[in-house]
Amino acid sequence: MNLHRSVRTTIAPALLTVTAVLALSACGTSDADSGSGATSTVTVRIPDPGNSGVLAAGKKDGSLDEALGKVGAEVEWTGSAGPFAPAAQAMNADQLDFATGSITSGITSLAQRPGFKFFTAVDPDGAGEGILVRDGSGIGSVADLVGKRVAVNQGGTGEYLLLKALAKEGIPVDKVQRVYLRPDQTAAVFNAGKVDAWAVWATYAVAEIGSGKAHFVADGAAIGSDNYSLNAVRTGFAEKHPEIVKALYTYLHTSSVREKKDPAAYLNVFTDVGPTAVTGKAKEVQTGFIAQGGTVDPIGPEDITRFEAVAAFYAEQKVTKNKVDVAAHLLDVEKLT
């Protein structure tokens, strides 16, 4: 069966793939690298998926462990969802085996000393990411951001979206003030009016749009975003257990196809109340983003070309000192055995 993309579509990155980790307390070497023998079960360390998405569903019904069990592996859920940069550091420190992140945050992590490789891609999220403004702000276009303060996460999706939007409109970057904030700390600042706009993705945009008080002045499609979501695997793990990496890919691909067809079934997996639940208008927004979306797929030549374009853009914008060689840190999941 050929699992390559047949149709190019978009998706909210955080809804489909392995989530990154904010902080990890566990240290040491995983069972995967312990040399404990071919008959022992390999432990695969994956950040806890929270309350939504294919991994949350797989955790609840045991289907992920069942799929990985066929190749002698089991999941250890560790840490929690968060930005990719800490997850990359955790993989480098042998505290995590898999994580997800955008190509933008991936490039800044690759500019360090990476101990991971990317093995899947989810097409850029044309609907679920963009430049968010409050209703009634008077900001009706990207050009209206001149002289304004825009919240971004440094070196990641937010900074990329803002810089890309400004470049498309021919607006010098120094005409807009970037305010560097962690995404999980930005909503309060944005809603208090301390910044005029927020360059953000679906994970955080859904709640703001769902509140009925904010909207995208330009979404990913309008910006021309090449901001893929990518799954990463610790290099040492992939070298020792390529069959597990391939099994995880197969599970993610198949499940993401199902999620696209029935988005609501993958929301509020464990609870439909409390801070992790998506309800009301926000639920409609999120299911809409997923329904417009694509799936977890192998990385193809056309994807690599776009990755390299982002790397070149980051170097041009001085986000990175030099152009990062993304292609050197990719795996062809279809060739793994």
Side-chain angles (χ1 to χ4, degrees):
M1 177 180 179
N2 184 4
L3 296 180
H4 275 298
R5 296 178 182 82
S6 57
V7 179
R8 308 297 297 184
T9 49
T10 58
I11 190 65
L15 304 181
L16 289 184
T17 53
V18 186
T19 49
V21 61
L22 271 173
L24 294 167
S25 58
C27 298
T29 303
S30 73
D31 292 349
D33 294 341
S34 65
S36 55
T39 59
S40 62
T41 301
V42 176
T43 298
V44 187
R45 297 167 298 179
I46 301 176
D48 190 280
N51 195 33
S52 297
V54 299
L55 288 179
K59 178 183 179 182
K60 183 177 182 180
D61 65 17
S63 59
L64 179 58
D65 265 329
E66 181 181 354
L68 295 183
K70 295 176 181 178
V71 288
E74 65 181 5
V75 177
E76 176 186 334
W77 302 107
T78 180
S80 58
F84 181 68
Q89 294 172 357
M91 285 187 286
N92 293 345
D94 188 18
Q95 297 174 345
L96 187 67
D97 298 313
F98 290 90
T100 199
S102 63
I103 183 60
T104 49
S105 58
I107 285 170
T108 52
S109 294
L110 288 175
Q112 310 302 316
R113 291 197 309 165
F116 61 89
K117 292 183 183 296
F118 293 112
F119 67 100
T120 73
V122 179
D123 288 347
D125 182 15
E129 65 180 14
I131 311 297
L132 196 70
V133 298
R134 293 181 301 280
D135 292 354
S137 67
I139 300 173
S141 68
V142 172
D144 292 334
L145 295 175
V146 171
K148 300 294 196 295
R149 292 162 52 87
V150 182
V152 302
N153 59 314
Q154 187 170 14
T157 292
E159 187 162 30
Y160 169 77
L161 291 171
L162 176 60
L163 293 175
K164 188 77 172 176
L166 296 178
K168 185 174 182 181
E169 298 299 322
I171 300 170
V173 296
D174 60 0
K175 297 295 184 182
V176 177
Q177 183 179 348
R178 279 169 275 178
V179 179
Y180 292 124
L181 292 170
R182 275 177 34 189
D184 59 342
Q185 297 177 333
T186 307
V189 177
F190 173 74
N191 287 305
K194 295 180 181 178
V195 293
D196 302 292
W198 182 7
V200 67
W201 60 102
T203 302
Y204 302 97
V206 164
E208 302 306 320
I209 296 172
S211 73
K213 299 178 181 179
H215 64 277
F216 284 136
V217 70
D219 62 16
I223 291 169
S225 172
D226 281 325
N227 187 38
Y228 282 77
S229 176
L230 308 177
N231 277 310
V233 58
R234 185 170 56 82
T235 302
F237 188 96
E239 290 172 349
K240 289 179 178 291
H241 302 289
E243 74 286 355
I244 297 175
V245 179
K246 189 163 189 175
L248 180 56
Y249 158 72
T250 300
Y251 182 86
L252 291 170
H253 172 82
T254 302
S255 299
S256 67
V257 171
R258 293 176 182 146
E259 183 184 33
K260 177 178 168 61
K261 293 178 180 178
D262 185 14
Y266 293 83
L267 298 179
N268 302 331
V269 173
F270 290 98
T271 180
D272 58 6
V273 296
T276 65
V278 183
T279 59
K281 181 64 176 178
K283 187 174 182 179
E284 293 179 25
V285 171
Q286 187 155 323
T287 54
F289 287 163
I290 300 171
Q292 294 178 65
T295 55
V296 177
D297 293 303
I299 297 169
E302 73 282 7
D303 305 317
I304 298 173
T305 298
R306 293 171 74 179
F307 296 169
E308 296 294 347
V310 177
F313 181 74
Y314 258 26
E316 175 188 323
Q317 296 290 327
K318 304 187 186 309
V319 177
T320 57
K321 291 182 179 180
N322 301 294
K323 181 178 179 293
V324 174
D325 183 6
V326 180
H329 303 280
L330 304 177
L331 292 178
D332 186 341
V333 73
E334 293 186 309
K335 291 184 178 178
L336 297 179
T337 57

